[in-house]
Amino acid sequence: MSCFGVWINAIWILLFAIFDASFSSYSEDQCSWRGSGLSQQQGSVEQISLHCSEGTLDWLYPKGALRLTLSPRLPSVAVGPGGSSSGLITACVKPSEQFHGAQLYLERDGVLELLVGDRLESSPPPRVRCFSRLPGERVALFLQATPHQDISRRIASFRYELRGDWTARLSLDSNPISSEEACRPCNNTEILMAVCTSDFVVRGNIRSVAEDDNLRAAVIKVSATRVFRQKYALFTVNSRLTRRGEVRTLLQCGVKPGPGSFLFTGRVHFGEAWLGCAPRYKDFQQAYTIAKAAQQIPCELPVD
């Protein structure tokens, strides 16, 4: 029985090794990568290149290092204060709550900057980290495995997103422009462009405002009276047959609940709605009517 058991265990170890080698560098859609450090040599650096604006990386049993370059084709459209068409790209990474076994660095022109450290079991969840890249800058993400005697429960996993049209409203850590600039109201040109380019365009009222301590953001709870467009199911019908949803913005903008109807626009960031322009609806109606009469609207919207 003991010889048979040893033989069975040897077969399982062999199958595991073959299976591990088969996905040690797995990237089916050029958006995400999943691999294992068990087949990596100590001190080696595996080169990875992904070509999408969003995706995931899962590094099981980290060993050695990974160097990840992200090269998506992105538009560069300004949609609010601080927006620019200069080719600036903003990237954000969101580590999983179980991020263990490695440290994540930003590599910019050969210099490393720590983004996410190796977490202890008692550590709070890591924050979203953002950075910007100028045209021509050489930027990569570098993951360095940290030595552990037991790597069986170590997984370094994160999601990434890149955009050519994000402003400081979404760059929670990079702070490329001042809070005053990030929080100022949009002008009419920015409002009309936001209506055309945002991931969501919703008319509604502010029910309440809460704080998200993890993201250091204000959470605006919205009752939607009309959903013009939404990229994902952000505003859904509840049991009372009313549409409700949440929109986040920078905490320092000081959003307060109050009466009135607003037009909420913005981007989806790791599955959450982030505020772009949010004029009072009557102000948007006036700007839209004037621009339409002058044949200067970038797109049509069925306003009331």
Side-chain angles (χ1 to χ4, degrees):
M1 182 66 180
S2 59
C3 293
F4 180 75
V6 170
W7 181 78
I8 290 295
N9 286 336
I11 292 295
W12 276 113
I13 292 173
L14 177 61
L15 289 174
F16 176 79
I18 294 173
F19 174 74
D20 174 70
S22 69
F23 75 90
S24 61
S25 183
Y26 177 76
S27 176
E28 181 180 359
D29 55 6
Q30 295 190 327
C31 297
S32 300
W33 183 91
R34 180 179 176 87
S36 166
L38 293 179
S39 58
Q40 264 184 266
Q41 295 295 323
Q42 190 71 34
S44 64
V45 179
E46 182 166 351
Q47 302 288 334
I48 304 167
S49 182
L50 299 176
H51 304 282
C52 298
S53 60
E54 57 186 71
T56 60
L57 183 142
D58 299 304
W59 193 20
L60 285 65
Y61 324 120
K63 185 179 179 182
L66 302 178
R67 186 176 184 274
L68 171 64
T69 57
L70 302 171
S71 305
R73 294 184 179 91
L74 296 173
S76 182
V77 180
V79 294
S84 170
S85 58
S86 62
L88 181 72
I89 293 177
T90 298
C92 292
V93 293
K94 183 177 183 179
S96 67
E97 294 186 1
Q98 292 77 33
F99 187 96
H100 290 297
Q103 292 180 310
L104 176 63
Y105 295 87
L106 170 65
E107 179 189 317
R108 190 193 302 271
D109 292 327
V111 179
L112 296 179
E113 173 190 342
L114 181 65
L115 295 180
V116 182
D118 191 4
R119 294 182 58 244
L120 300 175
E121 295 293 339
S122 58
S123 300
R127 296 183 183 275
V128 173
R129 297 300 308 272
C130 300
F131 57 91
S132 296
R133 186 189 76 187
L134 293 170
E137 270 193 315
R138 294 180 299 169
V139 173
L141 294 174
F142 188 84
L143 284 93
Q144 175 70 56
T146 51
H148 292 278
Q149 290 185 345
D150 178 17
I151 65 171
S152 61
R153 299 175 62 184
R154 310 289 173 178
I155 300 177
S157 176
F158 64 85
R159 296 168 61 185
Y160 72 86
E161 290 186 350
L162 297 93
R163 296 290 185 270
D165 52 13
W166 276 344
T167 69
R169 298 167 189 264
L170 297 183
S171 302
L172 301 179
D173 292 290
S174 53
N175 193 27
I177 61 178
S178 67
S179 298
E180 181 180 356
E181 175 68 9
C183 299
R184 71 167 176 84
C186 296
N187 60 39
N188 289 345
T189 301
E190 293 165 339
I191 291 171
L192 295 174
M193 185 60 69
V195 166
C196 302
T197 60
S198 294
D199 290 337
F200 61 92
V201 181
V202 175
R203 180 183 180 182
N205 308 307
I206 300 177
R207 293 170 40 234
S208 62
V209 179
E211 291 187 10
D212 186 326
D213 294 332
N214 184 40
L215 289 177
R216 293 172 290 174
V219 182
I220 307 168
K221 298 183 184 297
V222 176
S223 291
T225 55
R226 185 169 185 180
V227 177
F228 294 100
R229 181 172 68 253
Q230 58 178 342
K231 189 175 180 180
Y232 304 100
L234 304 170
F235 297 85
T236 56
V237 179
N238 62 13
S239 58
R240 297 182 180 180
L241 300 180
T242 58
R243 286 185 179 270
R244 292 186 174 182
E246 296 180 350
V247 181
R248 285 163 171 76
T249 190
L250 297 183
L251 193 60
Q252 54 264 42
C253 291
V255 177
K256 302 294 183 183
S261 180
F262 295 85
L263 186 72
F264 297 95
T265 69
R267 294 292 185 185
V268 176
H269 184 46
F270 294 119
E272 298 171 334
W274 282 81
L275 190 64
C277 298
R280 289 190 176 273
Y281 192 75
K282 63 179 182 179
D283 295 334
F284 159 72
Q285 279 182 309
Q286 182 179 13
Y288 184 86
T289 301
I290 294 173
K292 187 174 183 179
Q295 297 183 341
Q296 293 179 344
I297 55 172
C299 66
E300 294 273 353
L301 195 73
V303 298
D304 298 335

